């Protein structure tokens, strides 16, 4: 069998308007994945549309409907090279209308990047809605590690007490949902202002001695992958081409897949042959 992959797949979850897409856009820019020129163009486009604060969110929210509504509708994908491995980022919707898309993203992930809004009143509103639901769904889908980001701390003057209060409340929900405390890393940040994303912020966060967002992601260990086991994969989506062939979007749970392998499709018991493979 091929050697196990050292890559890590992370799903970005949390309540709508927590700043998930802005965070990932900023992270991709600071990691060098998105150029200064591309960001400048997005800023011009966002300002012309009367949505100047959405420039970084538009890095991944590329659809016209997503930009018009100001919310993520489908799972967006990006890749970041950190240290000696790659991180595959899945930006999932936070709106309650698109929970199935969030589940599709979480089902493919090894770890969760949970984003909470520190703005006055917003954290409590989110926790009673999608934040709690996303935490439960992530753990139910087998995710055991979580980087919990307390975002938009600029709205409360980067107040340490607010950060501590939110981490305590989130920690209780995470632990009650099955996340071990030692498998959760809390990080304060402000995605919109680029505070503690890839570089420490000694001015705004003088009280913080922990990692940046990028450093916390880099510390996520690649999961143990039993590539020698019999192949087992969950079907996430299916599409039929004009030629009648079927394309399956799967998450590999064990073993490995190669072209011309035969698989047993359950529950129908149909034997299928892999014609080609692609990683998306």
């Amino acid at each position: 069998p091929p050697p196990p992959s050292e890559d890590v797949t992370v799903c970005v979850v949390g309540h709508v308007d927590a700043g998930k897409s802005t965070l990932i856009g900023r992270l991709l820019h600071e990691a060098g994945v998105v150029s200064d020129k591309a960001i400048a163009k997005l800023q011009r486009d966002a300002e012309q549309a009367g949505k100047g604060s959405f420039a970084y969110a538009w890095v991944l929210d590329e659809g016209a409907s997503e930009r018009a509504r100001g919310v993520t509708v489908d799972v967006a994908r990006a890749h970041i090279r950190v240290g000696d491995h790659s991180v595959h980022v899945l930006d999932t919707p936070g709106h309650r209308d698109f929970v199935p898309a969030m589940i599709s993203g979480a089902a493919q992930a090894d770890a969760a990047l949970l984003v909470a809004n520190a703005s006055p009143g917003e954290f409590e509103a989110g926790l009673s809605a999608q934040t709690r639901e996303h935490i439960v769904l992530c753990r139910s889908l087998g995710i055991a590690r979580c980087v919990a980001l307390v975002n938009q701390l600029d709205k409360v003057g980067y107040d340490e007490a607010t950060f501590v209060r939110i981490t305590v409340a989130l920690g209780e929900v995470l632990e009650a949902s099955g996340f071990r405390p030692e498998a959760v890393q809390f990080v304060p940040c402000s995605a919109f202002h680029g505070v503690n994303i890839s570089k420490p912020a000694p001015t705004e966060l003088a009280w913080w001695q922990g990692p940046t967002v990028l450093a916390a992601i880099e510390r996520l260990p690649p999961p143990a992958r039993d590539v020698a086991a019999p192949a087992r994969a969950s079907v996430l989506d299916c599409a039929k081409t004009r030629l009648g062939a079927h394309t399956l979007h799967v998450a590999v749970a064990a073993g490995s897949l190669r072209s011309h392998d035969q698989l047993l499709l359950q529950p129908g018991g149909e034997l299928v042959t892999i014609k080609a493979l692609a990683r998306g």
Side-chain angles (χ1 to χ4, degrees), residues 191-217:
F192 184 76
H193 294 285
V195 173
N196 204 42
I197 302 301
S198 65
K199 300 175 183 177
T203 301
E204 297 89 349
L205 298 172
W207 45 267
W208 178 247
Q209 303 299 317
T212 63
V213 174
L214 187 60
I217 294 173

Side-chain angles (χ1 to χ4, degrees), residues 17-237:
D17 293 335
K20 298 186 297 298
S21 294
T22 296
L23 171 80
I24 298 307
R26 174 74 74 170
L27 189 64
L28 293 173
H29 182 213
E30 295 195 11
V33 179
V34 178
S35 67
D36 294 342
K37 182 178 180 180
I39 292 297
K41 182 181 185 303
L42 286 172
Q43 288 173 334
R44 289 194 301 270
D45 292 345
E47 288 170 2
Q48 290 173 1
K51 296 177 178 288
S53 63
F54 283 75
Y56 279 98
W58 284 9
V59 170
L60 290 182
D61 289 347
E62 299 177 314
S65 62
E66 290 183 315
R67 293 186 173 185
R69 297 181 62 173
V71 297
T72 302
V73 173
D74 204 353
V75 178
R77 303 169 184 273
H79 308 281
I80 304 174
R81 187 73 186 176
V82 292
D84 59 354
H85 64 276
S86 292
V87 175
H88 305 277
V89 181
L90 305 176
D91 185 21
T92 71
H95 197 283
R96 63 182 181 182
D97 290 349
F98 309 115
V99 171
M102 176 268 161
I103 293 174
S104 174
Q108 305 169 58
D110 304 311
L113 195 65
L114 173 66
V115 185
N117 188 343
S119 301
E122 291 297 325
F123 168 71
E124 290 76 13
L127 188 61
S128 64
Q130 263 43 66
T131 302
R132 186 184 298 272
E133 181 180 14
H134 285 192
I135 290 172
V136 173
L137 287 171
C138 284
R139 191 66 194 96
S140 300
L141 291 166
I143 295 175
R145 291 190 174 272
C146 176
V147 176
L149 308 179
V150 181
N151 189 29
Q152 302 189 42
L153 268 177
D154 54 290
K155 301 289 183 63
V156 293
Y158 301 101
D159 180 50
E160 182 181 7
T162 299
F163 173 74
V164 171
R165 175 177 60 82
I166 290 175
T167 59
V168 169
L170 269 182
E172 291 175 352
V173 176
L174 285 161
E175 188 170 3
S177 301
F179 284 92
R180 293 180 292 107
E182 61 269 24
V184 177
Q185 170 69 66
F186 292 99
V187 182
C189 66
S190 171
F192 184 76
H193 294 285
V195 173
N196 204 42
I197 302 301
S198 65
K199 300 175 183 177
T203 301
E204 297 89 349
L205 298 172
W207 45 267
W208 178 247
Q209 303 299 317
T212 63
V213 174
L214 187 60
I217 294 173
E218 185 175 357
R219 293 178 185 178
L220 290 170
R225 305 184 194 276
D226 189 0
V227 296
R232 183 165 56 88
S234 300
V235 178
L236 305 175
D237 198 4

